[in-house]
Amino acid sequence: MGVLGRFALVLALLLAAYGAVAAVLGARWNRPALVESARTTAFSSLAVIGAAYGALLAAVMANDFSLRYVAENSSRATPTFFKVLSLWSADEGSLLLWNLILAAFVAAVAFRFRRDRPASFPYALATLHVVQVFYLVLVVGPASPFTQLASPPTDGRGPLPLLQNHPLMAAHPPMLYLGFIGFTIPFAFAMGALISGRLSEPWVALTRRWTLAAWVFLSAGLVLGALWSYGVLGWGGYWAWDPVENVALLPWLAATAFLHSSVLEERRGMFRTWNLSLVVGAFALTTFGTFLTRGSVLLSVHAFAASLVGPLYLGFLVLVMLVGFGLIAARAVQLRAPARLERAVSRGSAFVAQNVLLVAITLIVLLGTIFPLAMEAITGSRVSVGGPYFDQTTVPLFLLLLFLMGVGPLLSWRRAAPGEAARRLTVPAGATAAVTVLLAVAGVHGFGALLAFGLATFVLTANGAGLIRRIGATRRTRSLGTFRAVGSTWSEDPRRFGGLVVHLGIAIAAIAITASACFTQQTEVTLARGEATSFAGYRLRYQERRVLQQPQREVLVADVAVTRGGAPAGTVDPSLNVYPSSTDPIGTPSIRYGVRADLYASVLGFSADGSTATLRFYHTPGVSWLWMGGAIVILGGVLALRPRPRRSPPAVVAPVDRPVAEGVPA
C-alpha cells in the first residue's frame, strides 16, 4: 500500500503540473485542444488521488504498522469507526484528505464547464491546477502519509484520545475542509479574469453558487465544531475564541461580506475591486488558517521551521497575496465602475455598511489571533489574547450587524413610495419595544442583554414580515395555495428567499448566545456516595462510580440522580476515559438538553475507591436554540443555492381573421 500510495501521489503531481501548463499554453497559443486536455486531466487527477486515499484506508484497516502514519494514529484495539476517522486525525492524513476534496472540486468545475466556457476559463483552470500542485508537493515530500518504518511495531499508538472521544469528528473536520477548499474556485475565476483581462465578464455570476456552497459547508463546520466543543470538552461552553476556532471564522466572515457585495456588482456593476479583494482575502485566510494549524505555528512560532511544511505554507501564502492583490492593483484602472449608489438610505447602502462591519470584525479577530505569535517571535515570551479582548471589540459590531440585518429588508433599492419604509418599520419596532419592556419587567436588567434580545426580535420580525410579504405577493399574482406559493417564491428569487431565512437563523442564534452568555450558572462540588447538593432548582445526588472496560479504553462513570420539584427527573452520567496512550484521563460530559435550558455535568476526578467524586455542574439557558439557529442558517444557504429558473418569452398568438361588425373600428 505504501508503494502504491507514493506512486499515485507522484503521478497526480505530474498530472496537475501538466494541466497547469497545458491550460496556459492553450490560452496563449489559441489551442482549444490543449485547454480541453487540461480540463480532462482533472478527472484523471481525481482518480489517482482517490487511489492513494484508498491505499491509506486499506493500510489502516489492515493494521499495516510498517507505515509510520498507521503506527502513530491507529491500533489493533481501535474500533473500526475511529480507524476511519484516524485518516484525518494527524497532519499527513488530513492533507491527503484535503488533496482528495480539492481534486473533487477541480473535477466538478471541469464537468460544469465542459461546453459553455468563458474566455477566462483556461486561466482559472490553470490556477486550480497550480493550487493542486502546491498541496500535492506537501504530501509527496515533507508530509507524506506513506513513509515506511524500518522496524514496524507490533501495535500502534492509536488516535489522539480527544479525537476518538466523540463521533462528531466524523463530520466536523470534513465539513470545514469542504468549506475551506471550496473558496479555491472563486479565487481561481477571479485570477482568471484578472490574468486574461476579461474583467467585463460576469465572473461574480459564474462563481456565486460555488462561493455560496463553500459558505454553507463552512457554516456547517462551524456549527458542528461548536457542538463538538460543547459536547466533548466538558467546560460548559461552545466558543472560546481559540486560535483554531478563529482561523475557521475568518474566511467565513470574508465570504459573507462577498456574498452581500456581489449583489451590488451583479445589479449595478459596482464594487469590482472590493469584491475581487474579498475573494483573494478569503482564499488567503484559508491558507493562513491551514498555515497556523498544519505548520505547527500554534505550538510555537519556532516549531514550524522544524519541518518544511510550515515554510512552504508561508511561502504559498505570500505568493497568493502578492499575485492576487498585485493583479488587482495592476488592473485598477479597468476595474473602475462609474455607477454609484443613488440614495444614502437604501438596501444597497445597508449592504455596504454590512460589508464594512464584517471586514472590521475580520481584521479585529485576525489581529487578536496573530498578536501573540508576533510577540513571541519578537520578544521570545508567550502572551495570550483571551475572550475579553474579542468580546469587547467585536460584540458592539455584531450588534450593529443585527440592526442592519433588520433594517435592510425594510428598505428598497430605489426611491420608495412616501411612508413605505415607515409603514414596514411599524410592526418590527413595536415588537422590539414590547419584548424589551417585558424582559425588563421580568428581571433582565443588563443593558447589553436587553439590547441584544431587542435587536434579535427586530431581525426576526422584519425578516419574517419580508417572507410573508413575498409569499402573499405570490399568492395574489398566481392565486395558488400557501405551500405552492412558498415554493414559487423560492424558485423565482432563491437568493432573496434564502437570505431572509439565513437572517432568521442568525437572530435565533443571537438569542441563544446572549442567554447562555449572560445567565449561565455554575457550581463545583465534591460529593460522597449518597450525598446530594442543590443547584439551579435541581437536587443532584451522587450514587456510585461504575467502571466499564472497552477495547480501546477504560471508562469511569459517575451516576448522578436528578430530581426537580421533588419529582425524579432522570440521571446524568459524566465520565472519565482512560486511554493507554495518554497519562491524563479525558472527560466526557453528560448533558440533559432542554428547550429552555440544559443541565450540564462533568466529572473532574474520583477518590481512589470511587467513594467521592468532584463534579462540575452548569445550568445553561437557551443553548438548544443555538443549534436550531445554526440549522436554519444552513437551510437558508441551501435554499439560496437553487438556480433561478429561466423565464420563457411570452407566447406569440397568431391573429385570427374574423368579420368586423358594421360601425365598429377594425
Side-chain angles (χ1 to χ4, degrees):
M1 291 299 103
V3 173
L4 174 62
R6 286 193 298 274
F7 175 76
L9 291 178
V10 171
L11 180 57
L13 177 59
L14 295 175
L15 286 169
Y18 166 79
V21 174
V24 172
L25 293 181
R28 299 285 293 178
W29 296 346
N30 195 21
R31 299 285 182 84
L34 276 176
V35 177
E36 178 63 14
S37 176
R39 187 188 71 85
T40 55
T41 297
F43 304 114
S44 302
S45 297
L46 176 60
V48 173
I49 295 174
Y53 199 78
L56 185 61
L57 174 61
V60 169
M61 300 307 294
N63 295 318
D64 183 2
F65 300 121
S66 65
L67 293 182
R68 186 180 67 187
Y69 185 84
V70 180
E72 292 179 351
N73 298 284
S74 186
S75 68
R76 299 184 187 277
T78 302
T80 301
F81 178 80
F82 290 106
K83 280 188 176 182
V84 175
L85 267 59
S86 70
L87 290 173
W88 53 81
S89 65
D91 288 352
E92 295 86 352
S94 64
L95 283 171
L96 184 58
L97 176 62
W98 190 286
N99 274 280
L100 180 64
I101 295 174
L102 177 59
F105 270 113
V106 178
V109 171
F111 180 79
R112 164 63 180 83
F113 295 100
R114 62 194 181 278
R115 295 186 182 92
D116 299 331
R117 303 171 193 167
S120 60
F121 174 75
Y123 295 104
L125 183 62
T127 302
L128 290 171
H129 281 307
V130 168
V131 175
Q132 270 192 304
V133 167
F134 167 70
Y135 283 103
L136 284 166
V137 165
L138 293 178
V139 291
V140 168
S144 173
F146 297 105
T147 302
Q148 300 279 153
L149 290 175
S151 302
T154 57
D155 200 358
R157 294 190 306 188
L160 291 175
L162 198 58
L163 300 182
Q164 56 177 319
N165 213 41
H166 199 282
L168 269 178
M169 288 303 294
H172 167 49
M175 282 295 175
L176 285 180
Y177 293 169
L178 285 166
F180 270 49
I181 300 166
F183 292 127
T184 309
I185 298 176
F187 170 76
F189 277 91
M191 291 298 97
L194 288 166
I195 294 170
S196 65
R198 305 278 184 166
L199 299 171
S200 60
E201 284 186 349
W203 72 273
V204 169
L206 288 171
T207 60
R208 180 190 63 81
R209 292 178 65 204
W210 297 97
T211 307
L212 184 56
W215 182 89
V216 169
F217 284 128
L218 188 53
S219 299
L222 288 169
V223 173
L224 290 173
L227 182 59
W228 178 83
S229 179
Y230 184 69
V232 174
L233 299 183
W235 62 289
Y238 43 80
W239 189 268
W241 293 109
D242 181 86
V244 176
E245 297 171 331
N246 294 348
V247 297
L249 178 65
L250 288 169
W252 185 89
L253 292 168
T256 304
F258 169 73
L259 289 173
H260 284 81
S261 60
S262 63
V263 176
L264 294 173
E265 181 169 346
E266 287 190 68
R267 291 178 65 97
R268 306 293 307 280
M270 302 167 60
F271 298 107
R272 289 179 182 175
T273 303
W274 179 261
N275 284 327
L276 286 165
S277 300
L278 285 175
V279 167
V280 173
F283 182 73
L285 287 170
T286 63
T287 307
F288 171 73
T290 51
F291 163 64
L292 288 189
T293 55
R294 300 302 173 201
S296 302
V297 181
L298 293 179
L299 298 177
S300 170
V301 169
H302 308 288
F304 83 99
S307 167
L308 279 177
V309 174
L312 285 174
Y313 259 120
L314 182 59
F316 183 66
L317 173 61
V318 172
L319 179 66
V320 166
M321 296 180 68
L322 287 177
V323 173
F325 292 114
L327 284 172
I328 292 173
R331 303 287 190 184
V333 175
Q334 295 174 256
L335 291 171
R336 289 178 183 171
R340 296 289 186 271
L341 290 173
E342 296 179 357
R343 299 174 57 212
V345 180
S346 65
R347 190 172 298 172
S349 61
F351 276 23
V352 173
Q354 287 173 331
N355 263 250
V356 172
L357 290 174
L358 286 166
V359 171
I361 295 171
T362 303
L363 294 175
I364 289 170
V365 176
L366 180 62
L367 176 63
T369 304
I370 65 175
F371 178 77
L373 304 175
M375 290 301 296
E376 182 183 353
I378 295 171
T379 65
S381 59
R382 306 201 71 174
V383 298
S384 62
V385 175
Y389 160 79
F390 294 103
D391 292 339
Q392 293 169 14
T393 54
T394 63
V395 167
L397 300 183
F398 277 122
L399 292 175
L400 282 174
L401 268 178
L402 273 179
F403 173 72
L404 291 173
M405 287 165 52
V407 168
L410 305 177
L411 302 174
S412 60
W413 287 101
R414 300 180 184 274
R415 187 175 301 279
E420 178 68 17
R423 184 180 62 80
R424 291 183 177 183
L425 184 64
T426 302
V427 173
T432 301
V435 168
T436 304
V437 171
L438 288 174
L439 288 174
V441 172
V444 179
H445 299 305
F447 174 76
L450 287 173
L451 181 60
F453 285 133
L455 289 173
T457 303
F458 183 62
V459 174
L460 283 173
T461 50
N463 287 268
L467 285 174
I468 294 171
R469 281 196 305 271
R470 300 190 68 78
I471 294 170
T474 306
R475 292 182 65 184
R476 288 192 298 272
T477 55
R478 297 197 173 192
S479 300
L480 297 176
T482 302
F483 177 77
R484 293 188 62 192
V486 173
S488 58
T489 302
W490 167 26
S491 299
E492 291 187 356
D493 195 356
R495 276 185 292 174
R496 177 76 175 132
F497 192 88
L500 292 173
V501 174
V502 168
H503 288 179
L504 294 177
I506 291 177
I508 293 172
I511 292 173
I513 292 170
T514 304
S516 59
C518 296
F519 307 117
T520 292
Q521 301 177 58
Q522 170 188 348
T523 188
E524 182 178 319
V525 293
T526 298
L527 301 177
R529 188 180 290 118
E531 188 179 0
T533 186
S534 296
F535 170 68
Y538 294 96
R539 189 72 176 168
L540 306 165
R541 183 181 302 277
Y542 172 53
Q543 294 180 309
E544 63 174 340
R545 184 189 73 179
R546 289 181 291 119
V547 180
L548 306 177
Q549 296 294 336
Q550 297 178 355
Q552 81 281 19
R553 65 185 182 183
E554 181 182 68
V555 183
L556 310 177
V557 183
D559 287 330
V560 180
V562 181
T563 58
R564 189 169 193 179
T571 62
V572 288
D573 52 356
S575 62
L576 292 177
N577 307 304
V578 182
Y579 292 88
S581 60
S582 176
T583 56
D584 298 322
I586 304 297
T588 297
S590 179
I591 307 170
R592 289 179 56 83
Y593 294 95
V595 175
R596 294 181 58 188
D598 295 351
L599 176 62
Y600 187 108
S602 59
V603 57
L604 304 181
F606 294 98
S607 61
D609 58 357
S611 60
T612 62
T614 300
L615 300 157
R616 184 179 292 159
F617 297 102
Y618 298 88
H619 182 259
T620 53
V623 177
S624 293
W625 292 90
L626 176 59
W627 320 129
M628 182 184 298
I632 293 173
V633 168
I634 296 165
L635 173 62
V638 172
L639 293 177
L641 278 171
R642 178 168 174 165
R644 182 181 298 179
R646 296 178 180 177
R647 296 185 180 275
S648 302
V652 178
V653 180
V656 179
D657 294 331
R658 62 175 182 263
V660 180
E662 185 178 353
V664 177

